[in-house]
Amino acid sequence: MTQAALTHPPAAPAPAAPAPAPRGGPVRWAADHAGWLGPVAVALFAGLLRFWDLGHPGSFVFDETYYPKDAWSLLRQGYEGTWPDHANADILSVPQSIPLTSAPEFIAHPPLGKWVMAIGEQLFGLNPFGWRFMTALLGTVTVLMLARIGRRLFGSTLVGCTAALLMSVDGLQLVMSRVGLLDGIQMFFVLAAFGSLLIDRDHARARLARVAEAAGGDTVRLGWRPWRIAAGVFLGAACAVKWNGAPILAALGVLTVLWDGSGRRGAGARRPWRSMLRRDAAPAFLAMVGSAAVVYVGAWSGWLATGGTGADGGGGYDRHWADGRAGLSPDSVLGIPLPQVPMSWVPAPLRSLWHYHSQMYDFNTGLSTPHTYQSNPFAWLVDGRPVSMYWEQVPAGQRGCTSSGGCAAQILGLGTPFLWWAACFALVYLLWRWFFRRDWRSGAVLCAVAGIYLPWFRYQERTIFSFYMVVLVPFLCLAVAQMLGAMLGPAGCGPGRRRIGAIGAGAVVLAIIGCFAFFYPLYTAEVIPMSSWQDRMWFTSWI
């Protein structure tokens, strides 16, 4: 099987064709713009699924009890304030009451994801539709981005749109696009960073091709690389949503400099890796880590700008911790105790922020309170333990329930099973392609998968959940799309082989769509008979 089979399957020999449509006709126009028409069509389909009845259920779903209220507090105060125990009922009541207080609240995650969520609340108010609006919008835009990224990565609009279509019918991505949680927002930033690095790779190689013949691949300076800086901005934003963006930043940072080394080798450099280390590694670090750091600290601007004493309700939590400490350093970093040394040269707000981060780190790494739906990372790729985010038992005769046994309404964070199980095979195929065929595209997808998935194995004793893997979904869909592209057949194969491959690949896609349709009621809290709900509980670990 050749590399070209995945990106440029040959067209079947055409018999005498009718005269082509006039240039400027609708058929020709559609063909010329297929690279955008296909992705936009898939994104519109995904948007319909994500925005349809978005305000249902009209209650707080799972961790929506935290983030939407934090977002509203950021919008009104610049920092996360405290809420009384009856706040959820007051917010959902008619007339609405919003009992936000100015007293600061300790929070476990950086603020950027909640700032993003606050945009929807500013537009539509503190209500289920308002706090879910931005996650639905970004979930839709992510589908559009994946189609374009897949097209660039594989050189095929069909393969790119297939990846996007698969993600549009993934249950976990749908659920996380319809609830006010942070992980769907982080997924958007991570995929945007990956796409930016792909564009940077293409631009860098184009420049190498232009100047290497005269200057030599060893001596070329690639200069200003705005797309690499953009990737750093997006990855900094991912870290400012949740800290698990940091290992993704590291993985993609390594990937981009490896691409530089292979690019210089392709341009004729005699010592490509040494040239990469001398000319590309340091600029890459500054462009990505430097811009990420600026974005991350900037995300805390609301907290940094708050006044008052913090303890009496005038500012963010521990905002003024460093006041009165004679310029001493914080007690620890990443859980490691530090000697107390003078650091008066560091502004007090930044020392307070450092101390706050130390407390956040201790909380996030030490969280081990048992939870009904926690799970081990080993089970995540096979949908071993999905998270039930909403459950309601509906008696017969209420809310349209006509079943004598009663009905149920549930939101289950379950990836479409056939898609995720196919992705397990696809990842094995990509490993083979990368190791034996040196396929850089397979290596790129695997690098992202490793940066997202593998770090969670360090925290198997922590309370963690399978819905964290929504960040992984775009790359699983790319893997499956690449495998389906290979099923179409190698370059030069006959029409019979092509037909068999198309039937096989089409059958996989239709099976995934059918599986999604079967589980759709469990993704949207649709009221269904209890017997129908039981039919969808394929494994006891799903209950």
Side-chain angles (χ1 to χ4, degrees):
M1 188 176 297
T2 64
Q3 176 102 355
L6 297 177
T7 55
H8 301 290
R23 187 173 187 85
V27 175
R28 182 56 182 262
W29 182 89
D32 290 344
H33 295 85
W36 276 106
L37 290 177
V40 168
V42 178
L44 290 175
F45 169 68
L48 178 64
L49 293 175
R50 280 145 187 78
F51 278 98
W52 184 265
D53 202 14
L54 182 61
H56 174 74
S59 60
F60 288 88
V61 172
F62 199 65
D63 280 354
E64 282 187 344
T65 192
Y66 303 114
Y67 307 127
K69 290 184 293 187
D70 286 344
W72 186 263
S73 181
L74 288 171
L75 196 60
R76 292 294 179 260
Q77 302 180 156
Y79 63 91
E80 293 89 343
T82 57
W83 298 77
D85 292 340
H86 54 81
N88 289 6
D90 290 349
I91 291 170
L92 297 173
S93 65
V94 180
Q96 185 183 58
S97 174
I98 302 179
L100 172 63
T101 72
S102 60
E105 178 72 19
F106 173 83
I107 52 97
H109 298 297
L112 184 59
K114 289 163 282 187
W115 278 114
V116 172
M117 202 177 298
I119 298 173
E121 294 179 347
Q122 176 66 25
L123 294 173
F124 304 104
L126 185 58
N127 56 66
F129 183 87
W131 65 63
R132 295 169 189 161
F133 175 79
M134 286 304 297
T135 55
L137 178 62
L138 295 184
T140 302
V141 174
T142 302
V143 173
L144 176 62
M145 285 198 306
L146 186 65
R148 295 291 298 177
I149 287 170
R151 182 178 186 272
R152 179 176 289 271
L153 184 64
F154 300 117
S156 167
T157 300
L158 175 62
V159 175
C161 288
T162 298
L165 176 63
L166 293 176
M167 187 164 71
S168 69
V169 296
D170 176 63
L172 181 59
Q173 207 268 358
L174 175 69
V175 167
M176 298 304 291
S177 297
R178 292 176 55 89
V179 296
L181 272 65
L182 302 177
D183 305 82
I185 298 171
Q186 187 182 52
M187 171 194 61
F188 167 81
F189 288 126
V190 170
L191 185 62
F194 184 79
S196 297
L197 289 179
L198 280 177
I199 298 174
D200 173 75
R201 178 187 184 275
D202 290 347
H203 288 185
R205 292 187 174 227
R207 175 169 171 76
L208 281 170
R210 288 195 304 268
V211 302
E213 184 175 351
D218 290 293
T219 60
V220 173
R221 294 185 181 275
L222 295 175
W224 173 252
R225 299 175 68 169
W227 283 104
R228 179 176 273 175
I229 296 173
V233 169
F234 287 127
L235 289 168
C239 295
V241 175
K242 273 190 167 184
W243 281 357
N244 56 302
I248 305 172
L249 168 61
L252 295 185
V254 171
L255 178 65
T256 188
V257 294
L258 291 179
W259 281 347
D260 284 344
S262 63
R264 289 184 179 277
R265 180 178 59 190
R270 291 176 297 175
R271 298 179 178 86
W273 303 111
R274 188 174 74 174
S275 297
M276 177 271 292
L277 291 173
R278 291 178 59 186
R279 303 186 183 278
D280 302 322
F285 181 87
L286 292 175
M288 294 187 65
V289 178
S291 58
V294 170
V295 170
Y296 182 84
V297 175
W300 287 87
S301 58
W303 183 90
L304 290 167
T306 54
T309 63
D312 64 3
Y317 186 89
D318 265 354
R319 165 62 180 79
H320 295 274
W321 172 87
D323 294 351
R325 286 181 57 84
L328 294 177
S329 64
D331 304 317
S332 64
V333 60
L334 301 181
I336 303 172
L338 294 178
Q340 295 296 285
V341 297
M343 293 186 64
S344 56
W345 56 275
V346 178
L350 293 182
R351 282 186 280 123
S352 296
L353 185 61
W354 183 347
H355 173 71
Y356 193 2
H357 276 60
S358 178
Q359 295 182 81
M360 292 168 61
Y361 178 84
D362 292 341
F363 175 85
N364 281 303
T365 56
L367 181 63
S368 57
T369 305
H371 192 284
T372 303
Y373 289 102
Q374 70 183 73
S375 57
N376 190 285
F378 281 105
W380 289 353
L381 281 180
V382 293
D383 279 336
R385 182 60 171 164
V387 176
S388 180
M389 298 188 176
Y390 175 84
W391 166 263
E392 182 183 6
Q393 197 158 354
V394 182
Q398 297 185 17
R399 296 181 54 194
C401 177
T402 59
S403 172
S404 59
C407 298
Q410 184 179 30
I411 296 178
L412 187 66
L414 173 73
T416 302
F418 287 179
L419 172 60
W420 283 63
W421 297 341
C424 293
F425 291 98
L427 291 176
V428 174
Y429 170 71
L430 262 63
L431 280 169
W432 177 82
R433 290 282 312 178
W434 173 65
F435 189 79
F436 291 103
R437 297 294 184 89
R438 297 296 187 265
D439 183 0
W440 71 270
R441 300 164 302 178
S442 300
V445 175
L446 290 171
C447 179
V449 170
I452 296 167
Y453 183 41
L454 296 183
W456 288 109
F457 286 90
R458 294 183 55 200
Y459 304 104
Q460 296 183 62
E461 302 303 321
R462 185 188 180 277
T463 307
I464 51 179
F465 303 94
S466 60
F467 68 80
Y468 298 164
M469 287 295 95
V470 70
V471 184
L472 189 67
V473 171
F475 303 98
L476 296 183
C477 294
L478 287 173
V480 174
Q482 182 176 356
M483 181 178 69
L484 294 178
M487 290 176 64
L488 293 176
C493 66
R497 170 65 179 84
R498 180 74 64 199
R499 188 179 306 111
I500 293 173
I503 292 172
V508 173
V509 173
L510 289 176
I512 291 171
I513 294 174
C515 184
F516 168 78
F518 179 71
F519 284 98
Y520 180 79
L522 300 188
Y523 300 141
T524 57
E526 182 179 323
V527 176
I528 58 175
M530 186 64 69
S531 58
S532 297
W533 176 83
Q534 291 169 342
D535 290 342
R536 289 163 172 80
M537 294 296 105
W538 288 357
F539 304 98
T540 56
S541 63
W542 290 6
I543 301 175

